[in-house]
């Protein structure tokens, strides 16, 4: 089984590149951002609580996203593997993912870290905000808070995967197809 963690700051291109990886490797895409936005659209209790935090650029509680991922893993027991997009985002989420995957004897294969300059991240998210209607993409100070939360709470995950030999940096600047080619080369070696 191939289990990929697609990692990087907000706007690094995780959602975009996940589409190429699905096509190349036939994996199931699990984006916690997309799952949370479905809950918001359905106006569930979980969705309403998530919206309050996401609109400020803060992370939602670990238990919330871990529960959603567990449900999806249980529902896809025959999968060839998964792309985890935007998850894990904290060290506690990474530990919980290891426990969930180890129950099936299928560890994380690699963590692919997209590297993009800060001004490029802000430009990408502001342009998406103009067309997507995503409230967390509309305002530069919320975007900057998301990037700050990433540096404080999510970036330390590199120190979790690096000693396991699972951390791979990939240049996330430039044309989308070129980045997809770089990612594919790394995944083929896993
Ligand atoms: P996400 O939905 O994961 O949003 P994101 O980090 O902003 O990245 P996204 O995947 O959408 O953007 P992408 O890089 O693909 O999370 C939203 C919120 O949900 C979080 O802030 C948090 O509150 C909450 N959340 C989600 N998961 C959580 C978790 N595990 N724990 C706690 N809270 C959680 O792309 C951005 C844009 O760039 C796109 O418009 C794309 O078209 C463009 N783009 C991509 N590649 C490009 C390139 N090479 N050149 C030019 N543009 C490019």
């Amino acid at each position: 089984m191939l289990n990929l963690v697609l990692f990087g700051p907000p706007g690094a291109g995780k959602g975009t590149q996940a589409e190429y990886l699905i096509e190349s490797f036939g994996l199931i895409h699990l984006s916690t951002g997309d799952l949370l936005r479905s809950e918001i659209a359905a106006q569930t209790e979980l969705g309403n609580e998530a919206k309050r935090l996401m609109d400020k650029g803060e992370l939602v509680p670990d238990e919330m996203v871990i529960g959603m991922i567990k449900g999806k893993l249980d529902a896809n027991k025959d999968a060839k593997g998964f792309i985890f997009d935007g998850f894990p985002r904290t060290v506690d989420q990474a530990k919980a993912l290891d426990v969930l995957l180890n129950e099936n004897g299928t560890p994380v294969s690699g963590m692919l870290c997209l590297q993009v300059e800060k001004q490029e991240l802000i430009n990408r998210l502001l342009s998406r905000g103009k067309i997507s209607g995503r409230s967390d993409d509309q305002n530069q100070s919320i975007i900057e808070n998301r990037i700050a939360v990433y540096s404080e709470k999510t970036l330390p995950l590199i120190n979790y995967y690096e000693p396991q030999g699972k951390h791979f940096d990939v240049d996330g600047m430039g044309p989308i197809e070129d980045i997809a080619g770089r990612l594919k080369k790394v995944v083929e070696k896993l």
Side-chain angles (χ1 to χ4, degrees):
M1 227 172 155
L2 187 61
N3 293 312
L4 306 176
V5 170
L6 198 47
F7 189 82
K14 302 183 292 289
T16 309
Q17 294 300 330
E19 300 301 323
Y20 287 83
L21 290 167
I22 295 164
E23 203 173 303
S24 303
F25 300 100
L27 306 173
I28 292 194
H29 180 208
L30 295 182
S31 155
T32 40
D34 288 349
L35 292 171
L36 289 166
R37 281 184 288 277
S38 300
E39 296 283 340
I40 293 172
Q43 297 190 326
T44 62
E45 198 178 320
L46 187 154
N48 293 339
E49 169 64 4
K51 181 167 174 27
R52 197 177 58 76
L53 293 160
M54 288 165 75
D55 280 352
K56 290 191 282 188
E58 298 294 330
L59 297 182
V60 307
D62 287 340
E63 318 77 73
M64 207 183 258
V65 284
I66 292 165
M68 291 192 315
I69 290 287
K70 179 171 174 20
K72 291 289 174 187
L73 293 179
D74 289 346
N76 289 285
K77 293 240 185 254
D78 298 332
K80 282 168 65 182
F82 296 90
I83 300 173
F84 297 97
D85 162 2
F87 178 88
R89 258 176 158 97
T90 63
V91 172
D92 282 346
Q93 290 181 20
K95 289 180 181 165
L97 178 62
D98 281 348
V99 171
L100 291 174
L101 291 177
N102 286 339
E103 281 171 11
N104 301 327
T106 61
V108 167
S109 316
M111 177 236 217
L112 311 168
C113 182
L114 287 168
Q115 299 206 296
V116 177
E117 289 159 16
K118 183 175 175 187
Q119 192 54 50
E120 170 74 5
L121 299 173
I122 295 171
N123 294 345
R124 287 183 190 179
L125 294 175
L126 285 174
S127 19
R128 182 172 65 184
K130 286 187 192 136
I131 40 171
S132 74
R134 262 179 67 167
S135 45
D136 57 345
D137 285 345
Q138 311 272 335
N139 172 308
Q140 180 148 348
S141 68
I142 294 174
I143 291 173
E144 294 205 10
N145 188 43
R146 286 160 65 194
I147 296 171
V149 168
Y150 168 81
S151 300
E152 186 197 336
K153 297 190 173 151
T154 307
L155 208 49
L157 274 175
I158 290 179
N159 300 328
Y160 182 79
Y161 288 109
E162 178 71 35
Q164 303 177 41
K166 292 181 178 174
H167 161 233
F168 302 90
D169 278 333
V170 176
D171 179 3
M173 298 284 289
I176 288 170
E177 286 79 8
D178 291 3
I179 301 164
R182 286 174 211 142
L183 282 168
K184 193 172 173 193
K185 272 194 196 152
V186 174
V187 176
E188 280 168 349
K189 289 191 197 140
L190 291 177

